[in-house]
Amino acid sequence: MTTPVLLQHYIDGEWFDGDADALVSISPAEPDVTVAHGRAATVDAVDRAVAAARAAARRWARTPAHERGTVLVRAAAIIESSAPRWGAELAREEGKTRGEGVAEVLRAAQIMRFYGGEGDREAGEMFASPRRGERIMVARKPIGVVGVITPFNFPIAIPAWKIAPALTYGNTVVWKPAGTVPLLAMRLAQALHDAGLPPGVLNLVMGGRAIGAGIADHPGIDALTFTGSTAVGRSLAAAGAARGVPVQAEMGGKNAAVVLGDADLDLAAEQVLAGAFRSSGQKCTATSRLIVTEDVADEFVRELVARIGKWTVGNPLDEQVDMGPVIDAAARTSIRAGVDEAIRQGARALCGQRSYEDGELATGFYVPPTVLELPDTGLDVWREELFGPVLAVCRAADAEAAFALADDSDYGLSAAVFTQDLTRALGALEDLDVGILHINSESAGADPHVPFGGAKKSGYGPKEQGRAAREFFTHTTTVYLRGGRSIT
Ligand code: UN1
């Protein structure tokens, strides 16, 4: 048994203990095991964090972009070399498998490195002028102090992909991570501290909703970036609009995988399995709807369920385990309630109909991988995000009907289409209103150098990652530039 890590907050370059309620990070696989503990911060810590971020803002904005980037590159190296240890901590704290945990830490390093290099890439645009002797330059400038509010499901990658662009573009940050994953938050802050980030540039304040609200409503915050539920994202967007503060919100998804008759069914089964059940389905990009054309439906669904039968559910630190628990007891209860309600409304469970009733799978917050065949699309499970290992299946007569079903959602984050027919693949691009479209790969996954974000209820504000992040983390100053001497 490992000794629990002491949780500390980080403001103005100093680590300190909180003085509010206990802050305890437990293992969702073994809820009586404490991974890390300390005390939450009081709301006045938000004031101190914002004051520190404001005080540091001017100097950081004036630091050459190359130097800012160098800090991120150094942090990337620290994160990378810590990946085996932090990946295991991530698996213990969040519940995804150790392999996924290590991969996520490495991804955070990759994100840091991408944005580290951003300091040496172009920093604006130059236009011709309709007037002689003039150029028009569009320069990018930081927005100021950014509030960052992050979810539990990618405890280091999502914070990295918000904090790295915020910092590289010259902003300072006040960050509140999800209360269930404080340890990984501390690890990321440590990496940046050890990489030489100046005091006040990043401030980490951990605690409950009051801390999040304290950041969102703080008059000293110039912009707010959030990933989490649509309800919270929308309320933050409303609060931001009321104060004239830009908000970027990445929210829910009800992502479809469409399997057409001409697809490579082995490949599709492998990818749908990963998309629906990796990380226990707790990704906003997870596949929660499967649409399969009638011609291959029986065969495909049978294959999928057979593969699920070979999965090992259990402690995420065991090498042979494919799927761990969900994040907490409340998540387990609400996911199971969603499944029970779907069955009540007429769904047929092809697997996962029974909760785990004894042994470690009952003690930990485990939900079995569940496939529900729906009689029609009138069921709540077709529309509502359960954020767990639950896949709802509907059949479609042909590709056109399948795309119509896939687009039948208020959400529009990602979709996966399995076909070898290029015309149909291009048709999917036309027909599906999504931010991310995978052709022949699972609906989850995001590379750091390209835009990430959703359409419809899934996203609000500019996209994240890659150079798209610049849209949110900078504003522009248009400079009409003349030489200062009359020209002849
Ligand atoms: C991924 O698909 O690998 O909260 C990343 C989420 C998304 C990130 C998904 N913002 O799940």
Side-chain angles (χ1 to χ4, degrees):
M1 174 126 351
T2 332
T3 323
V5 180
L6 175 66
L7 294 167
Q8 289 192 304
H9 311 268
Y10 180 67
I11 294 181
D12 210 10
E14 303 282 342
W15 295 96
F16 66 94
D17 297 334
D19 42 21
D21 300 343
L23 180 66
V24 183
S25 162
I26 55 147
S27 161
E30 299 168 283
D32 53 346
V33 171
T34 299
V35 178
H37 68 93
R39 306 204 83 80
T42 47
V43 178
D44 61 84
V46 175
D47 287 332
R48 285 190 286 124
V50 175
R54 286 229 81 82
R58 196 172 169 79
R59 186 143 183 216
W60 182 244
R62 288 180 167 193
T63 301
H66 177 83
E67 272 178 48
R68 296 195 301 249
T70 303
V71 176
L72 300 190
V73 172
R74 279 200 297 266
I78 295 169
I79 295 169
E80 200 162 58
S81 63
S82 314
R85 193 161 55 87
W86 293 359
E89 287 179 345
L90 197 165
R92 292 182 81 215
E93 183 172 62
E94 197 270 350
K96 66 180 68 173
T97 61
R98 184 202 295 260
E100 289 175 286
V102 172
E104 185 186 330
V105 176
L106 291 173
R107 180 174 179 176
Q110 194 191 2
I111 291 164
M112 285 286 163
R113 198 164 284 126
F114 173 83
Y115 286 108
E118 194 61 0
D120 298 329
R121 298 188 194 110
E122 97 268 1
E125 286 173 293
M126 179 79 87
F127 289 80
S129 166
R131 291 162 293 277
R132 260 195 80 214
E134 182 179 85
R135 293 290 162 108
I136 306 174
M137 181 171 90
V138 179
R140 293 274 171 178
K141 309 203 2 183
I143 356 179
V145 178
V146 180
V148 173
I149 300 180
T150 53
F152 76 83
N153 62 333
F154 285 91
I156 192 162
I158 290 179
W161 85 43
K162 291 178 184 297
I163 291 167
L167 299 183
T168 206
Y169 295 127
N171 304 281
T172 58
V173 168
V174 178
W175 171 31
K176 180 217 169 278
T180 40
V181 290
L183 176 55
L184 263 288
M186 221 176 76
R187 295 300 186 219
L188 180 61
Q190 266 172 355
L192 284 158
H193 175 83
D194 293 346
L197 194 72
V201 173
L202 169 68
N203 304 277
L204 167 66
V205 186
M206 298 179 288
R209 278 172 182 264
I211 301 293
I215 294 174
D217 297 336
H218 204 289
I221 294 282
D222 301 310
L224 199 59
T225 176
F226 163 83
T227 295
S229 71
T230 297
V232 175
R234 292 209 159 173
S235 75
L236 291 176
R243 289 201 299 111
V245 165
V247 175
Q248 176 189 56
E250 285 306 329
M251 302 175 281
K254 195 73 205 179
N255 312 300
V258 176
V259 178
L260 302 180
D262 69 86
D264 176 331
L265 296 187
D266 264 349
L267 170 84
E270 169 204 285
Q271 293 291 308
V272 170
L273 192 68
F277 302 114
R278 284 267 172 235
S279 296
S280 307
Q282 298 174 115
K283 299 181 187 177
C284 58
T285 45
T287 304
S288 52
R289 297 183 299 144
L290 167 66
I291 298 142
V292 52
T293 49
E294 289 285 5
D295 49 352
V296 290
D298 287 339
E299 181 189 349
F300 185 73
V301 170
R302 204 179 318 113
E303 173 63 22
L304 194 65
V305 172
R307 284 179 188 238
I308 293 168
K310 293 191 195 122
W311 261 32
T312 308
V313 177
N315 194 310
L317 290 168
D318 293 346
E319 273 327 311
Q320 72 282 9
V321 157
D322 298 294
M323 194 181 100
V326 298
I327 188 69
D328 57 18
R332 179 178 60 185
T333 304
S334 77
I335 297 163
R336 288 308 302 180
V339 170
D340 291 346
E341 181 58 18
I343 293 170
R344 209 190 55 74
Q345 291 178 12
R348 192 163 65 92
L350 304 179
C351 61
Q353 58 273 51
R354 293 172 68 89
S355 312
Y356 297 116
E357 271 157 18
D358 39 49
E360 60 159 3
L361 296 184
T363 328
F365 305 131
Y366 290 93
V367 176
T370 304
V371 177
L372 300 170
E373 171 120 40
L374 310 194
D376 55 63
T377 58
L379 285 67
D380 294 340
V381 73
W382 184 251
R383 304 193 182 276
E384 287 167 14
E385 186 181 41
L386 295 183
F387 219 65
V390 181
L391 181 65
V393 186
C394 267
R395 296 169 184 231
D398 53 26
E400 198 179 331
F403 292 161
L405 280 177
D407 209 40
D408 174 32
S409 175
D410 289 341
Y411 293 112
L413 183 53
S414 68
V417 173
F418 294 88
T419 178
Q420 299 184 62
D421 179 333
L422 185 56
T423 309
R424 285 168 157 178
L426 290 171
L429 174 59
E430 301 263 306
D431 289 355
L432 303 182
D433 194 9
V434 289
I436 297 143
L437 177 60
H438 290 263
I439 307 292
N440 296 312
S441 59
E442 58 156 308
S443 63
D447 280 323
H449 62 299
V450 286
F452 177 86
K456 300 195 261 186
K457 267 190 185 171
S458 295
Y460 181 90
K463 298 274 168 77
E464 303 192 274
Q465 302 218 77
R467 310 219 72 202
R470 221 167 52 150
E471 291 306 313
F472 182 70
F473 290 104
T474 63
H475 71 92
T476 55
T477 298
T478 305
V479 184
Y480 292 84
L481 185 65
R482 298 188 194 176
R485 256 196 302 269
S486 299
I487 47 165
T488 49

